[in-house]
Amino acid sequence: MRVQSRQHLHQLTFLPDFFPVNCYLVEEEGELTLVDAALPFSVKGIISTAERIGKPITRIVLTHAHNDHVGSLDALKQHLPEVPVYISRRDARLLAGDVSLDPAEPNVPVRGGVPSKLHTRPDILLDEGDLAGSLQAVSAPGHTPGSMAFMDTRTGALLAGDAFTTRGRVAVAGRVVPLFPFPALATWHKETAWRSARKLLEMKPSLLAVGHGPMIDAPQAAMQEAVEDFGRRLGI
């Protein structure tokens, strides 16, 4: 596990040299928000890092319900049974293994690993604009139907889940990057992902923190290039 810090964020990266999977501990004044739960074996690293920081984890916030973002959730709840779990209202269904689509959604099968044996259920269902500590929820569907990003209202740092990736290059979800194609292959609907990426770009984040790849300071130019590149590829 590798830990890197920016602003109020501590990025925990598991399998950094092979298949980098990130989760984040976000510092509040006297507590921590965990964003995503990484892989099944990640629980010890998450708990030990929180202990080194010296603040308790008081909420678990999920950007979406793919297995590599919820892998240690059941184990974490065993350690932290009173800590509430937050996820978007839409992806709560994916968390329960329900891959059905809403009538208004594009009729494209959900892709990527979706939990089938997860016992934990969310305590709080998020809608656009809701707050989880200092993090404001931003609806960003595309990678999954209910993907969310979270903007730190103090600093403008954006925790984007898999709406973007930064492994190899900054790319929109759905754009295959040869060095690391896996998030693209697990993206549900490319055009929706592109629209969400454009929306996140317009928020002008000060820092981009994603599920796979390093944090990017002053990311707007790289995000703009990624949005334009994917738009051209989609013919938008």
Side-chain angles (χ1 to χ4, degrees):
M1 180 187 73
R2 181 179 65 208
V3 179
Q4 295 186 317
S5 301
R6 297 278 198 287
Q7 299 179 9
H8 299 286
L9 307 184
H10 303 275
Q11 181 193 65
L12 286 63
T13 305
F14 300 89
L15 305 177
D17 298 321
F18 170 62
F19 188 98
V21 175
N22 301 327
C23 64
Y24 295 85
L25 288 167
V26 182
E27 284 200 59
E28 301 282 351
E29 184 173 351
E31 59 189 2
L32 297 168
T33 298
L34 174 66
V35 177
D36 287 335
L39 300 164
F41 61 80
S42 301
V43 59
K44 290 183 180 179
I46 293 169
I47 296 296
S48 65
T49 303
E51 289 174 348
R52 286 198 296 272
I53 294 169
K55 297 179 181 180
I57 297 172
T58 59
R59 61 183 69 82
I60 299 169
V61 177
L62 303 173
T63 61
H64 62 290
H66 277 156
N67 285 331
D68 57 337
H69 291 255
V70 303
S72 69
L73 187 58
D74 279 349
L76 281 166
K77 285 294 285 184
Q78 290 179 2
H79 283 268
L80 307 167
E82 303 303 318
V83 171
V85 174
Y86 298 61
I87 196 170
S88 74
R89 190 174 302 277
R90 176 62 183 87
D91 256 27
R93 285 172 27 204
L94 284 188
L95 196 67
D98 178 359
V99 296
S100 64
L101 297 169
D102 290 338
E105 291 174 340
N107 188 23
V108 177
V110 173
R111 298 182 178 184
V114 175
S116 59
K117 298 180 180 179
L118 195 69
H119 298 294
T120 301
R121 295 294 176 261
D123 302 285
I124 298 173
L125 302 182
L126 293 168
D127 296 308
E128 171 99 9
D130 288 348
L131 288 174
S134 295
L135 301 179
Q136 186 168 43
V138 183
S139 180
H143 187 64
T144 65
S147 288
M148 275 192 157
F150 296 92
M151 176 72 85
D152 191 320
T153 56
R154 300 166 295 183
T155 65
L158 180 68
L159 293 95
D162 285 358
F164 286 88
T165 59
T166 63
R167 170 76 162 175
R169 57 173 290 176
V170 177
V172 176
R175 166 70 159 93
V176 174
V177 177
L179 180 64
F180 195 68
F182 312 106
L185 300 177
T187 293
W188 163 61
H189 193 255
K190 293 181 179 181
E191 290 83 0
T192 302
W194 178 82
R195 287 193 292 271
S196 291
R198 187 175 61 174
K199 171 183 175 180
L200 297 178
L201 169 64
E202 290 172 353
M203 297 179 71
K204 299 181 179 179
S206 64
L207 179 144
L208 179 64
V210 301
H212 306 281
M215 292 182 283
I216 305 294
D217 293 300
Q220 292 179 42
M223 291 171 69
Q224 179 77 44
E225 182 179 352
V227 168
E228 292 176 354
D229 168 73
F230 198 40
R232 286 192 299 269
R233 289 174 178 271
L234 296 174
I236 298 175

